[in-house]
Amino acid sequence: MKTYLYHLEFPGGAHFGRQGIGLEETRESFSSDSLFSALINAFSLVGEADEVLAALGSETPPFHLSSLFPYGPDKSDKNSKRLYALPRPMTMPRVQDNSVLRSAGKDLKKIRYLVPEDVVRWLDDRPLTEDDIHAMRTRAARLARPWNEETKEGWHAVFLRPRVALDRNSQNSAIWWCGEIHFSRKAGLFGLVRFQDEAWKPRLEAAFRLLSDMGLGGERTYGLGMFRFDGFTPVEDVWSLNLPEADPRRHVLLSRYVPTKDELGRLPQVLSAWDMEESRGYVVSGRSATTVKRKRVRFLIEGSVAREPLSGRLVDVTPEQGLALGLTHRVYRSGLGFWFP
């Protein structure tokens, strides 16, 4: 079992929609269930979707995907070292003195991202000192910062692009706005993939290269979401992680997760902290968008913490009347868990 890291650059920007009404909001990350669906659409164009779904729906999926998170340049490093942002675990870290949490607890909860080394340290059994927490907060402040026009620094900027809708009958016009995220130079999104079967590595790389021309996210008709993909790199060649020799007692979730029937009864004993989010939307088949809504599904989200890694499963979200609505296949979302470390 080997883990790889990859980078995606979006030279033309992207739209990663938030849940709710309107297109004004956009995320700076991309969930694993949406990435999975996009890759299945890429596999479908070469006639391999059924085979991939069968493999991922088995008891031993050949690979697991994390969600996509932001990376960007470290301005404090002369060699323009990349910084990687992982979601902060939802549990609080162990500390030497509880007075540290009383004084810094609110600030720690405001942290959205940590560097990978600090995520490992956060989950470790070794208590943190006040200096450790101060150093973590300092490093976290450099991650995923919005673009600042005065300092000319930041990883991304969000723009509202005006659009016009015309009434079909009266031809009256109405203006509306679409949020677009544009990444700065040497910034973008990165993901992790863990292979149980290395034979799938070249096939998945080929799917990513095909997907790079199809695009990720919404508003792809306008050229958003197309990206550059540089292949898979062993994660140990990028991150120097001081992992504990024994199996870690806590793991943070880096993907969306849905428990299997066997795991469902164990969740109260295994989960330490979690949050959930509902996923809903329309079915996209290959390159074709439809007006058919898929079933809703609730996921445990990134940052949830468990005492042991859980496998998860694929979720069938095919509409009840899918065949009558013109669908010729089943529709799935991925709830396969990707846990770190």
Side-chain angles (χ1 to χ4, degrees), residues 56-88:
L56 292 175
S58 67
E59 293 185 359
T60 56
F63 59 86
H64 288 73
L65 294 164
S66 77
S67 297
L68 301 178
F69 305 106
Y71 75 88
D74 182 2
K75 293 297 183 181
S76 64
D77 185 84
K78 295 182 179 179
N79 298 322
S80 297
K81 175 185 172 183
R82 283 170 169 163
L83 288 175
Y84 296 89
L86 289 179
R88 173 185 63 82

Side-chain angles (χ1 to χ4, degrees), residues 201-217:
K201 180 173 175 283
R203 296 180 64 178
L204 189 59
E205 283 186 324
F208 266 103
R209 297 190 193 283
L210 178 56
L211 184 60
S212 68
D213 292 328
M214 298 170 62
L216 278 178

